[in-house]
Amino acid sequence: VTSIALAEGANGAIWAGTKEGLFRLSGGNWRRFTTKDGLSHDEVLCLTVGDNGDIWVGYQFGPEIDRIRPEGSEWKISSEGGPNRGSQGLTYFLGFDVRKQLWAGTDRGVDVREGHDWRHYDQHDGLVWDDCDVNGFQAMPDGTVWIGTSGGLAHFTPRDEIRWRDPPVAIITQLTLGGRSAAQDVSVGYRTNALAVRFSALSFARQNRLLFRYRLAP
């Protein structure tokens, strides 16, 4: 069995992620965890350990992230989600920063778990490339984080989050009715009644996450 990921857990236990499941070595004894025990997949690609001893597991052929926690003499396995977990993907690395936030590097950017919520970062936020690398994570004592991607190395410096007080203003950039500009009132025949509207919002912040609502009245 070839180990892909290694991590040291509580009391010196060694956790090893492989293509045949997750293994734990403690007191000279091995225990194997697979999908039969609750893992989302058998092919483990990355591991990390929280300060409380919880084991976090990412997979080679699936977007899920599992958490394994001790409950008495047994282990409870639960799946943790994220904003980028709804589609097919994979997790290349897992790690904690000095603020105890879990970082998950994927093939679609980076997800950061803050409490029970996830925040997503990608090229729109300054990440050099969306496709992260295996083990491409290093948290520094000053709170910064280094992220390895297929397009180069990124350095994340935390700062106070700047949130919108008001939503950006949506504007209509083009409006045609029946193939004619409808900047002013225009009447067309019923055979040329196609309506086309183009619109945008005046914002450069996370444009890929802007949501629009539109309504025709009455």
Side-chain angles (χ1 to χ4, degrees):
V1 177
T2 301
S3 176
I4 302 175
L6 289 172
E8 182 177 355
N11 301 320
I14 300 300
W15 294 81
T18 75
K19 293 184 177 181
E20 286 78 32
L22 179 65
F23 290 81
R24 178 178 183 265
L25 173 62
S26 179
N29 299 315
W30 286 95
R31 177 174 176 179
R32 181 188 180 195
F33 297 85
T34 67
T35 52
K36 295 180 180 179
D37 301 291
L39 292 184
S40 294
H41 302 274
D42 282 336
E43 298 198 26
V44 176
L45 186 60
C46 55
L47 295 171
T48 195
V49 182
D51 285 347
N52 60 355
D54 290 355
I55 310 299
W56 296 81
V57 187
Y59 300 98
Q60 186 165 0
F61 295 110
E64 297 84 0
I65 293 177
D66 288 345
R67 177 169 60 174
I68 305 177
R69 63 176 67 180
E71 286 194 352
S73 59
E74 298 298 324
W75 295 88
K76 179 181 179 180
I77 302 176
S78 59
S79 181
E80 303 292 334
N84 203 31
R85 305 290 158 194
S87 59
Q88 291 299 314
L90 63 157
T91 305
Y92 285 117
F93 66 70
L94 291 169
F96 286 92
D97 62 18
V98 295
R99 295 188 292 175
K100 314 304 179 188
Q101 297 179 138
L102 177 66
W103 291 68
T106 76
D107 54 345
R108 292 172 172 81
V110 180
D111 294 339
V112 184
R113 192 174 191 266
E114 302 173 344
H116 295 287
D117 299 322
W118 289 88
R119 179 174 298 173
H120 182 73
Y121 296 101
D122 54 31
Q123 284 184 277
H124 295 89
D125 304 291
L127 190 65
V128 63
W129 196 251
D130 288 345
D131 189 28
C132 296
D133 287 343
V134 175
N135 297 323
F137 177 83
Q138 180 62 51
M140 306 303 292
D142 61 359
T144 63
V145 166
W146 291 93
I147 301 170
T149 77
S150 299
L153 187 64
H155 190 206
F156 176 85
T157 302
R159 64 177 182 178
D160 293 335
E161 182 70 11
I162 301 175
R163 300 186 181 277
W164 286 323
R165 294 183 178 180
D166 298 300
V169 177
I171 62 171
I172 294 177
T173 59
Q174 185 180 15
L175 178 63
T176 59
L177 180 61
R180 298 170 56 186
S181 174
Q184 298 178 349
D185 292 342
V186 60
S187 297
V188 296
Y190 71 92
R191 293 183 182 278
T192 55
N193 60 358
L195 174 67
V197 182
R198 294 181 181 274
F199 51 90
S200 183
L202 301 179
S203 174
F204 294 101
R206 301 180 181 177
Q207 301 175 62
N208 62 323
R209 272 180 268 176
L210 287 177
L211 298 179
F212 294 89
R213 291 188 299 176
Y214 58 89
R215 178 176 61 183
L216 296 178

